[in-house]
Amino acid sequence: MHPTVTGGPLKYFYRLEQLHFHWLSEHSINGVKFPMEIHFVHVRSDLEVSEALNKRDGLAILSVFCNVQTELNEDQQKASEEIMQHIPMLLRTGHRISGVLLNLSKLLSPKRNSYFTYLGSLTSPECNEVVVWIIFDNPIYISDAQYRLFGKVGVGRHNFRSQQKINHHQVFQPPDAFITTPKAILIVSDVLKLMTQFFRNVTRFVVKGLKSRL
Ligand SMILES: [Zn+2]
């Protein structure tokens, strides 16, 4: 029942398990960081989570940067509201919401065919090297006021892993290889949860895929 993604560097279908936020961003582009980064964590459809954590391509994480602007135009406003309207209900660890329809075509990067990809690790312990990263380089926008809300989350501290050396990792920028994602997802139970604890402790949330595809 989970919505799935595939295409581009993904050789399998991957089902959405959870999404969370980092502020500041964990990735940078040419050394430049963004105020926020949203991670859509997916697990290879043919694997259980425990198996996926031991496979080189067990997880696929779609990453969308958020940039901050003093004022948003109408389209940017609509896109950011897609997620920001829920944040006041999620300020403390354990807060949950359900029955939420998220329009992914607004929440994902405006240019779905423009991204960097590499094989890397989770950014929280145990930092398993099991992730196909897809980093969209065109950000979505939130306002100053919306960004300030994130300072009220949990104990208000930043929650990003510091930049790592690139080591053996090769980063690719495929030309025009679209990622296929659902147009919208319906969160029928549990959550949309903020990353205030390590990945493995984050409660999985149940989502239901809608049939329509972009
Ligand atoms: Zn993350």
Side-chain angles (χ1 to χ4, degrees), residues 18 20-22 26 37-41 61 123-124 133 159 195 199:
Q18 55 118 314
H20 60 263
F21 307 84
H22 295 277
E26 297 197 306
E37 185 172 338
I38 308 177
H39 285 165
F40 298 83
V41 182
I61 304 184
T123 60
S124 53
W133 280 97
N159 65 347
M195 186 71 165
F199 167 78

Side-chain angles (χ1 to χ4, degrees), residues 9-169:
L10 305 175
K11 304 284 178 274
Y12 298 86
F13 282 91
Y14 289 77
R15 64 177 187 271
L16 183 65
E17 283 290 327
Q18 55 118 314
L19 69 93
H20 60 263
F21 307 84
H22 295 277
W23 60 101
L24 299 167
S25 71
E26 297 197 306
H27 290 92
S28 64
I29 295 183
N30 294 327
V32 178
K33 281 204 168 199
F34 290 80
M36 275 182 46
E37 185 172 338
I38 308 177
H39 285 165
F40 298 83
V41 182
H42 296 75
V43 177
R44 228 174 82 177
S45 287
D46 57 329
L47 302 176
E48 297 298 323
V49 176
S50 56
E51 297 172 305
L53 289 173
N54 292 301
K55 282 268 197 297
R56 191 66 202 86
D57 56 359
L59 302 183
I61 304 184
L62 272 55
S63 173
V64 180
F65 292 118
C66 286
N67 222 339
V68 176
Q69 241 171 222
T70 321
E71 286 189 16
L72 304 179
N73 67 33
E74 202 175 321
D75 285 348
Q76 291 168 335
Q77 186 70 39
K78 277 185 194 153
S80 70
E81 275 306 313
E82 197 61 30
I83 194 73
M84 293 309 301
Q85 60 178 312
H86 307 301
I87 302 305
M89 280 85 82
L90 291 168
L91 292 182
R92 294 282 169 264
T93 304
H95 281 182
R96 287 139 196 255
I97 49 174
S98 61
V100 173
L101 183 67
L102 286 181
N103 186 334
L104 282 192
S105 59
K106 287 183 184 167
L107 204 51
L108 286 173
S109 170
K111 286 192 186 165
R112 211 79 55 79
N113 58 341
S114 181
Y115 55 86
F116 294 95
T117 182
Y118 70 97
L119 290 174
S121 70
L122 292 172
T123 60
S124 53
E126 310 294 326
C127 294
N128 313 37
E129 289 270 343
V130 297
V131 182
V132 183
W133 280 97
I134 294 170
I135 318 288
F136 294 107
D137 53 344
N138 288 274
I140 60 170
Y141 288 87
I142 59 174
S143 69
D144 265 359
Q146 290 172 332
Y147 183 69
R148 275 202 297 278
L149 255 187
F150 281 89
K152 296 180 180 166
V153 173
V155 292
R157 63 163 181 258
H158 290 151
N159 65 347
F160 59 94
R161 185 191 191 196
S162 57
Q163 201 101 55
Q164 305 296 304
K165 289 211 166 57
I166 200 156
N167 293 332
H168 59 282
H169 298 102

